[in-house]
């Protein structure tokens, strides 16, 4: 599958998680709600966290069977997802969130079933179930590693409500066959006299 198709699959899964976080947000501690709403480019940390969870699930470093099943259902290819994160310098934070995924134990099955209420409940239980969860999650989300990676992530993968294309220049999946050769561009160049603009 092409890299552009894998980017689209990552955004699709992150969007499902992001929407479920929107439903779960009122059930989270007020300080966690405030942190999740912190702006990043034209998105927020809720979108960043959704992207990181989706990428960690797509990469599946822990080789969990339930996560592998989700990846199969969603069409995520771990090697391509790993490259997408590494290109933006987000590999480190995604690797770190991978260690937090056991706290989201119910999430892969909920995402496989694709029922938004189940996904939102799994997210709320995961955050609220940690002892001192809110503070440790908030501190991590507001840490320099996450915030630095967040800007690159949101510029490349805009918030679903942003209404803009990616601001990240991306290499095409394959060389373009429609690019004219240098000689053809020269033959079609306009060499008529130019007039000075006043």
């Amino acid at each position: 599958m092409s890299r552009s198709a894998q980017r689209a699959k990552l955004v699709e899964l992150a969007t499902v998680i992001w929407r479920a976080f929107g439903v779960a947000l009122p059930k989270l501690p007020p300080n966690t709600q405030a942190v999740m709403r912190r702006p990043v480019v034209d998105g927020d940390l809720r979108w960043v966290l959704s992207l990181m969870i989706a990428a960690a699930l797509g990469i599946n470093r822990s080789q969990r069977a339930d996560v592998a099943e989700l990846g199969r259902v969603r069409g995520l290819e771990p090697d391509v997802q790993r490259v997408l994160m590494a290109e933006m310098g987000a590999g480190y934070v995604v690797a770190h969130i991978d260690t937090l995924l056991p706290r989201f134990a119910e999430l892969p099955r909920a995402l496989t079933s694709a029922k938004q209420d189940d996904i939102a409940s799994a997210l709320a239980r995961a955050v609220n179930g940690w002892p001192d969860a809110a503070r440790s999650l908030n501190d991590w989300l507001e840490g320099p590693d996450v915030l630095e990676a967040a800007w690159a992530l949101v510029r490349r993968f805009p918030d679903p409500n942003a209404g803009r294309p990616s601001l990240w220049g991306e290499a095409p999946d394959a060389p373009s066959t429609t690019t004219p050769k240098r000689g053809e561009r020269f033959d079609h160049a306009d060499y008529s006299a130019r007039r000075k603009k006043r």
Side-chain angles (χ1 to χ4, degrees):
M1 188 178 292
S2 71
R3 287 173 64 181
S4 58
Q6 282 295 300
R7 286 190 291 270
K9 298 231 175 249
L10 173 68
V11 170
E12 181 182 289
L13 179 58
T15 302
V16 170
I17 296 168
W18 178 77
R19 288 195 174 114
F21 259 128
V23 174
L25 216 53
K27 300 171 189 166
L28 303 181
N31 55 346
T32 302
Q33 293 180 40
V35 168
M36 294 268 206
R37 290 186 177 115
R38 179 178 174 164
V40 178
V41 188
D42 51 4
D44 57 20
L45 280 176
R46 176 174 58 122
W47 175 240
V48 173
L49 181 58
S50 300
L51 281 167
M52 290 190 299
I53 291 172
L57 290 169
I59 293 169
N60 191 17
R61 287 176 192 263
S62 58
Q63 302 295 306
R64 285 175 40 192
D66 57 342
V67 177
E69 174 63 13
L70 172 65
R72 190 188 62 71
V73 168
R74 291 281 175 175
L76 296 166
E77 295 176 6
D79 293 338
V80 179
Q81 296 299 323
R82 192 175 292 113
V83 169
L84 291 175
M85 294 300 110
E87 284 176 346
M88 292 170 292
Y92 173 76
V93 294
V94 170
H96 187 266
I97 203 167
D98 192 67
T99 63
L100 303 177
L101 281 182
R103 299 188 186 272
F104 292 89
E106 299 174 42
L107 187 59
R109 283 195 185 94
L111 286 166
T112 302
S113 73
K115 294 179 182 168
Q116 189 175 37
D117 289 340
D118 292 348
I119 299 165
S121 296
L123 289 168
R125 279 193 296 275
V127 173
N128 293 327
W130 264 303
D132 201 39
R135 192 170 71 204
S136 60
L137 179 64
N138 296 349
D139 290 347
W140 181 70
L141 283 172
E142 292 189 302
D145 292 330
V146 171
L147 291 177
E148 187 176 318
W151 286 87
L153 283 168
V154 176
R155 288 174 63 83
R156 180 142 197 202
F157 303 107
D159 178 308
N161 288 340
R164 69 162 172 85
S166 172
L167 299 176
W168 188 288
E170 298 181 28
D173 290 322
S176 173
T177 57
T178 59
T179 305
K181 294 180 180 157
R182 185 171 181 234
E184 292 172 1
R185 289 194 312 263
F186 182 83
D187 290 343
H188 297 291
D190 177 15
Y191 293 108
S192 60
R194 303 282 187 239
R195 294 184 181 165
K196 289 186 177 180
K197 293 182 180 177
R198 297 183 184 223

